[in-house]
């Protein structure tokens, strides 16, 4: 059985990259032209999305509908996604068939009286520097220097609002490739965090699930003080694993909850053997159902019924995942 952790891409030239992304819908010649155009007009093609939150230092980038956006989608689909099977089972988000619902389910564990530690990496994508992405493609995936530089150039942008001339080049929040690259480029620190978690909580059925920048850890029959100690260990590790790229935790989102208080993570309530809607989602759903009890215009009722259908589908998804047998 292979113990390889990283994709062996071994792409040597842009011509090989063109072959990887070409297919029935895109010839090799057009793929090569796509790369050339995206590279030449890179700065023209990407922009700051309206979804950005400047007050939080989060800028969502987009390149939808042009050569750069199309190229990034192809790289994500044809170069990165085929290697999702290599990812350890405690990592979720931006991967094929791995949702936030499955991440929450992974935390349920086999034993009762669980306690939850929830952490959130502050401005995660903005912390990941271009050098780390280059290192991933060059050292971990065995691409050539030229190809590693090309891919890192395509996937990263200056930090802060576009046009401000920042010299700090980071992974572009919002690009198709970013969720997978964020995971792969931090795999070593995440594996180390899992090892430390299981060592510190040995004998208490520890579970860890990382969904993009949200870290959830649960254990059975353990005090909040012990969980706080683990939180300090985790934060020290994330801050010091790579001195050039610390991953600080948002102190406002640190949460330690016992089973008596009710544990919620990723918008879902963690029960004994099942998941259910979290408080905010349930409140919105209940409010919607009350609205539908009133006399409403036909157009308004149709719109609300559509939202009702979305809630039902989501609840069904949560229920289906809850019925999945927990892995020991």
């Amino acid at each position: 059985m292979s113990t390889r952790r990283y994709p062996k891409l071994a792409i040597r030239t842009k011509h090989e990259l063109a072959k990887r992304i070409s297919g029935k819908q895109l010839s090799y010649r057009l793929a090569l032209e796509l790369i050339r155009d995206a590279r030449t007009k890179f700065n023209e093609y990407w922009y700051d999305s309206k979804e950005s939150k400047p007050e939080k230092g989060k800028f969502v980038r987009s390149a939808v509908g042009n050569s750069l956006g199309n190229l990034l989608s192809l790289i994500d689909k044809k170069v990165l996604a085929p290697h999702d099977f290599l990812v350890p089972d405690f990592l979720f988000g931006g991967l094929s068939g791995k949702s936030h619902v499955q991440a929450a389910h992974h935390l349920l564990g086999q034993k009762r009286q669980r306690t939850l530690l929830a952490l959130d990496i502050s401005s995660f994508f903005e912390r990941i520097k271009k050098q780390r992405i280059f290192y991933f493609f060059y050292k971990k995936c065995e691409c050539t220097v030229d190809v590693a530089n090309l891919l890192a150039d395509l996937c990263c942008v200056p930090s802060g609002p576009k046009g401000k001339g920042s010299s700090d080049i980071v992974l572009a929040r919002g690009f198709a490739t970013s969720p997978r690259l964020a995971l792969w480029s931090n795999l070593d620190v995440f594996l180390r965090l899992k090892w430390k978690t299981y060592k510190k909580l040995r004998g208490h059925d520890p579970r860890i699930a990382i969904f993009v920048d949200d870290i959830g850890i649960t254990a059975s029959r353990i005090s909040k003080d012990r969980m706080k100690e683990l939180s300090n260990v985790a934060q020290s590790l994330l801050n010091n694993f790579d001195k050039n790229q610390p991953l600080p935790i948002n102190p406002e989102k640190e949460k330690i909850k016992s089973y008596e208080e009710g544990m919620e993570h990723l918008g879902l309530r963690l029960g004994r053997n099942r998941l259910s809607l979290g408080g905010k989602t349930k409140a919105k759903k209940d409010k919607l159902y009350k609205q539908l009890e009133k006399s409403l215009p036909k157009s308004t009722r149709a719109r609300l019924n559509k939202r009702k259908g979305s809630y039902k589908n989501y609840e069904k998804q949560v229920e289906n995942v809850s019925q999945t047998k927990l892995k020991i």
Side-chain angles (χ1 to χ4, degrees), residues 36-289:
R36 185 201 66 77
D37 188 46
R39 193 176 192 182
T40 302
K41 299 180 181 179
F42 178 80
N43 285 325
E44 297 175 35
Y45 283 150
W46 71 270
Y47 55 91
D48 290 340
S49 167
K50 293 179 180 179
E51 296 178 9
S52 298
K53 297 179 180 178
E55 70 281 1
K56 295 183 177 181
K58 296 181 180 180
F59 294 88
V60 180
R61 325 296 189 166
S62 179
V64 175
N66 59 47
S67 295
L68 176 59
N70 293 337
L71 176 57
L72 291 169
S73 293
L74 286 168
I75 291 172
D76 185 54
K77 180 180 178 181
K78 294 197 169 189
V79 177
L80 298 175
H83 302 278
D84 282 356
F85 71 94
L86 291 172
V87 177
D89 64 0
F90 70 97
L91 297 174
F92 303 80
L95 300 168
S96 303
K98 283 196 166 186
S99 68
H100 74 284
V101 180
Q102 291 168 314
H105 181 263
H106 191 75
L107 295 173
L108 295 183
Q110 299 287 336
K111 298 179 181 178
R112 297 178 182 271
Q113 299 179 23
R114 299 188 75 75
T115 300
L116 166 72
L117 165 64
L119 302 170
D120 177 86
I121 300 174
S122 178
S123 301
F124 184 41
F125 292 100
E126 291 78 10
R127 304 282 179 186
I128 304 171
K129 298 183 179 181
K130 176 186 169 184
Q131 293 92 322
R132 175 63 72 88
I133 302 303
F134 167 82
Y135 183 82
F136 164 69
F137 283 118
Y138 177 52
K139 289 292 187 179
K140 303 295 188 179
C141 300
E142 302 178 27
C143 293
T144 61
V145 170
D146 287 345
V147 169
N149 269 319
L150 168 61
L151 291 170
D153 284 343
L154 291 169
C155 298
C156 299
V157 301
S159 63
K162 184 176 181 179
K164 293 300 182 180
S166 174
S167 60
D168 195 16
I169 312 300
V170 300
L171 189 63
R173 179 186 293 271
F175 278 6
T177 47
S178 293
R180 284 188 169 89
L181 289 178
L183 185 157
W184 282 116
S185 63
N186 288 286
L187 181 58
D188 288 347
V189 67
F190 289 155
L191 286 169
R192 186 69 176 174
L193 178 58
K194 180 186 178 183
W195 180 81
K196 280 186 172 289
T197 296
Y198 276 54
K199 181 181 180 182
K200 193 163 185 64
L201 302 181
R202 184 181 291 120
H204 296 275
D205 188 28
R207 293 296 182 104
I208 179 171
I210 300 177
F211 183 80
V212 190
D213 54 359
D214 284 296
I215 300 171
I217 298 172
T218 60
S220 292
R221 296 183 174 87
I222 197 160
S223 69
K224 284 187 173 183
D225 287 341
R226 286 281 300 279
M227 277 300 205
K228 181 58 180 178
E229 290 174 9
L230 175 62
S231 178
N232 294 336
V233 169
Q235 292 187 54
S236 177
L237 172 65
L238 292 167
N239 276 316
N240 298 296
F241 188 83
D242 183 347
K243 293 291 187 179
N244 294 317
Q245 184 187 286
L247 298 174
I249 293 299
N250 183 343
E252 295 180 1
K253 292 188 177 182
E254 180 189 24
K255 179 173 61 178
I256 299 176
K257 293 285 185 180
S258 67
Y259 70 98
E260 295 102 334
E261 297 170 302
M263 303 181 299
E264 288 192 14
H265 190 58
L266 299 173
L268 293 164
R269 186 177 180 86
L270 310 183
R272 167 65 181 93
N273 292 310
R274 57 182 288 113
L275 301 172
S276 58
L277 299 185
K280 289 183 179 180
T281 304
K282 188 175 184 303
K284 289 179 180 179
K285 174 197 160 189
D286 292 344
K287 182 179 179 181
L288 173 66
Y289 276 51

